[in-house]
Amino acid sequence: MTKHYFVASEPDTLNQIYRQVVLWFKDKEYEVESTQSGDVYLVQAAKTSWLRTVFGTNLAFKVNIYWSNVPTTAGEFIIETRVGKWVRNIAGAGITAMFTGGFTVFTGVAGASWALVLERDLMNHLQNTLSLRRVSETETRATSSSETINT
């Protein structure tokens, strides 16, 4: 599970992110389920098939988008990403490897690594498409601005 902290520029920022996440996964031909409850958004996306199961490369993502409960900056929200069946795929690949000479261990690990690449690509897409600013970037800009003012 990875939590990414950003600062909202508009009141409907979370809704915009939610829509972009759904579209991003659909564009990559994932099966997508999504829901919203209040200010909490959940997107589940998966690519599954018989071959993916055999080779241990089923990828399932869950993305939660919500306001921070303990914000350090006004408008702070969190995009939380998780990869489902990640460990189970590697373990399943290890069991299947007994029958296939070890090939599926490598495909299971490769599938898990690919999930991390996709997560990074999703975050980059959201930052570039919606001009999202991370909390640390916001604090750095505020600090440098106040230092400039004080000198």
Side-chain angles (χ1 to χ4, degrees):
M1 171 176 59
T2 305
K3 289 186 178 185
H4 304 271
Y5 295 84
F6 294 97
V7 177
S9 57
E10 301 173 18
D12 72 331
T13 298
L14 272 59
N15 190 41
Q16 291 176 23
I17 293 167
Y18 172 68
R19 286 186 305 223
Q20 279 297 319
V21 170
V22 169
L23 291 173
W24 189 84
F25 279 116
K26 284 184 176 181
D27 184 53
K28 300 208 175 302
E29 300 178 357
Y30 279 73
E31 180 180 335
V32 179
E33 293 180 3
S34 58
T35 187
Q36 172 194 2
S37 178
D39 284 335
V40 178
Y41 300 84
L42 171 66
V43 178
Q44 297 182 81
K47 274 193 175 183
T48 58
S49 69
W50 179 81
L51 274 176
R52 287 180 179 275
T53 301
V54 168
F55 289 113
T57 58
N58 283 347
L59 297 178
F61 289 86
K62 290 184 180 181
V63 180
N64 290 350
I65 307 158
Y66 54 92
W67 295 108
S68 177
N69 290 332
V70 188
T72 56
T73 305
E76 181 177 303
F77 66 92
I78 299 169
I79 301 175
E80 182 180 314
T81 57
R82 289 177 278 158
V83 180
K85 298 184 182 180
W86 198 39
V87 174
R88 185 166 46 182
N89 280 348
I90 293 173
I95 292 168
T96 308
M98 292 186 293
F99 303 104
T100 60
F103 175 71
T104 54
V105 170
F106 296 112
T107 58
V109 171
S113 298
W114 186 245
L116 294 175
V117 170
L118 287 176
E119 178 183 352
R120 184 195 66 216
D121 288 350
L122 173 61
M123 292 288 83
N124 287 337
H125 170 75
L126 293 173
Q127 282 186 270
N128 294 329
T129 303
L130 300 173
S131 300
L132 297 179
R133 292 181 304 151
R134 291 189 178 271
V135 167
S136 59
E137 294 171 357
T138 305
E139 291 172 357
T140 303
R141 288 182 188 149
T143 303
S144 63
S145 296
S146 66
E147 288 174 0
T148 306
I149 293 170
N150 291 335
T151 49

